[in-house]
Amino acid sequence: MLILPRFEILPDTLDWASNYDETRWFLVLRVQKPAHNGLNGLLNLSNTALARFDQPPLYAASSHKHSQNRALPHGDKGSTLLEDYSNCFHISLAWSLSRPTAKDRERVAAIDLRALRERRIAFDSVKAKIGNNVVSIPLEKEF
């Protein structure tokens, strides 16, 4: 069983992102690449589970316009390489059924986020939802 440590993220920029079909648009807070590669580690675990059920991976390089598909070392010895999708990670703040207008994009781009970029957001668990059941899976304090 792979154990992942708790991690922190730092906010970066506000942006608009769509779902794959462009039927919903999300105002998102993009995040800086987290130390210790925690988000890529979680993504790797998710994609491994999806593959076992013949489901497509999340953020596959061929299906996501933001992926840069770089390999990163993972774990304390750096022996396993993970794809780097750090530039895809974000926190969804709001959503809309319509594409943001140019004015919407300008307003978001004009927001000063300098003070927010200093705030650390800590993650000590992962929530998994299957049907109506939500399970909280704690992350380890250290490797």
Side-chain angles (χ1 to χ4, degrees), residues 70-108:
R70 296 181 308 256
L72 290 176
H74 177 65
D76 53 350
K77 301 205 188 303
S79 58
T80 304
L81 292 180
L82 296 178
E83 295 297 319
D84 182 10
Y85 293 101
S86 297
N87 58 334
C88 298
F89 301 132
H90 62 271
I91 298 170
S92 295
L93 302 173
W95 65 273
S96 173
L97 292 174
S98 57
R99 180 185 301 265
T101 65
K103 187 174 183 176
D104 293 334
R105 290 183 184 278
E106 288 172 17
R107 280 192 298 213
V108 166

Side-chain angles (χ1 to χ4, degrees), residues 22 43 59 65 68-69 91 98 101 110 114 131 134:
E22 295 190 0
L43 181 62
Y59 298 118
K65 58 188 163 193
Q68 291 179 354
N69 203 23
I91 298 170
S98 57
T101 65
R114 284 180 289 189
V134 178

Side-chain angles (χ1 to χ4, degrees), residues 16-26 63 65-66 96-100 105:
W16 290 97
S18 69
N19 63 355
Y20 183 75
D21 298 327
E22 295 190 0
T23 57
R24 284 194 178 82
W25 291 85
F26 300 86
S63 66
K65 58 188 163 193
H66 294 291
S96 173
L97 292 174
S98 57
R99 180 185 301 265
R105 290 183 184 278

